[in-house]
Amino acid sequence: MKNNNQATGSNVQDRRALSRRGFLANTVLIGAGLAFGPSLWASSANQPKEIIKDLIREGKVLHFGLSEASVRTIRRAHAVQPVTAIQTEYSLMQRDPEKNGVLATCEELGIGFVPWGPVGQGYLTGKIDARTKFDPKMDMRSAFPRFSPENIAANMPIIDFLSRFAEKKNATPAQISLAWLLAQKPFIVPIPGTHNIDHLHENGAAINVQLTSEDLQQIDSALSKIKVHGGRMNEEQMKVVDQT
């Protein structure tokens, strides 16, 4: 029969094993050995130390990143285990990381920043309009406020400006959107997603688009006068965004 100390130790080990499995089940592992863990998980006190350090020591993970994390969570996690990268939506029409301190914190701590949705989840390509249909079974944008027909139409002034500006630079709106991100900070590396090989080549060619300081000022000035309509995700998806 186990004494109380043995039982307590066993319970701790059991909880740790469950936490480890839960972390792995909710973690994105990518080829470079970078684990993007859920930010709300990392906001708890001891799990980063107990789980991430074990995985790194075992060679299962080489680097540790967080997705949609707040400044508070980034600092707490980084103090225990160095954070390599933060993944958060950031684009010409979603600029919260500039306002909530996440970008400044990444720069201060030497953490890379990986914007997902860098072309506005497809909107900034200029190829979506109010008639575009999103399959509710396959495409989460079907439930996102920003992609309702009304908000798609209301946000068209953004596309109108980008299209005019892109034409002057002999580029596409998507390429301008990516080039703008690349011009912000050297530690920013956008990750546009696509299933289309032509779009892949188009996105890659954004590195050839050079934006001057005057170009960047013009973009910021023009877009500061245009209101963005609709939330970037629905209420359910926003639950994964750390706002602590």
Side-chain angles (χ1 to χ4, degrees), residues 17-243:
L18 287 171
S19 295
R20 179 186 170 106
R21 287 198 293 271
F23 169 77
L24 290 172
N26 289 282
T27 297
V28 178
L29 297 172
I30 56 181
L34 173 60
F36 275 111
S39 60
L40 294 181
W41 166 90
S43 65
S44 57
N46 295 319
Q47 288 179 325
K49 178 180 177 181
E50 299 297 330
I51 298 175
I52 283 294
K53 284 197 168 184
D54 282 353
L55 293 172
I56 290 175
R57 184 170 57 249
E58 293 166 12
K60 292 183 172 67
V61 171
L62 298 180
H63 306 285
F64 170 47
L66 291 171
S67 182
E68 295 285 355
S70 69
V71 168
R72 177 174 177 269
T73 295
I74 293 169
R75 290 189 181 280
R76 290 184 68 188
H78 192 72
V80 175
Q81 173 61 47
V83 176
T84 299
I86 298 298
Q87 177 182 250
T88 294
E89 186 179 6
Y90 181 42
S91 72
L92 280 169
M93 64 189 306
Q94 169 50 37
R95 299 177 66 168
D96 286 353
E98 298 173 359
K99 305 169 187 175
N100 60 22
V102 167
L103 274 181
T105 300
C106 286
E107 185 167 27
E108 174 193 339
L109 299 178
I111 299 172
F113 187 82
V114 182
W116 72 267
V119 289
Q121 301 184 51
Y123 186 79
L124 296 174
T125 63
K127 297 172 183 176
I128 291 174
D129 62 29
R131 297 167 296 180
T132 301
K133 303 296 183 183
F134 302 97
D135 184 349
K137 295 181 180 179
M138 301 292 293
D139 195 329
M140 292 190 297
R141 293 176 298 179
S142 63
F144 291 178
R146 192 162 293 171
F147 288 90
S148 71
E150 297 78 13
N151 286 329
I152 288 174
N155 286 323
M156 274 299 160
I158 299 172
I159 300 302
D160 293 340
F161 167 75
L162 275 182
S163 297
R164 293 193 303 270
F165 187 89
E167 187 174 359
K168 293 192 300 181
K169 302 293 287 188
N170 194 29
T172 66
Q175 289 170 340
I176 295 299
S177 300
L178 293 170
W180 178 84
L181 283 168
L182 292 170
Q184 298 306 300
K185 295 288 183 179
F187 59 86
I188 293 177
V189 181
I191 48 170
T194 184
H195 298 288
N196 184 297
I197 191 66
D198 292 332
H199 294 166
L200 178 65
H201 292 313
E202 177 187 356
N203 292 339
I207 63 173
N208 300 319
V209 179
Q210 300 298 315
L211 298 179
T212 66
S213 57
E214 290 78 12
D215 289 333
L216 296 172
Q217 289 173 5
Q218 183 181 349
I219 292 171
D220 282 348
S221 176
L223 294 184
S224 69
K225 300 179 178 70
I226 302 174
K227 179 181 177 180
V228 176
H229 297 266
R232 63 185 178 108
M233 294 189 290
N234 59 17
E235 183 177 352
E236 184 65 26
Q237 292 298 319
M238 285 301 293
K239 290 179 181 178
V240 307
V241 177
D242 179 9
Q243 301 183 53

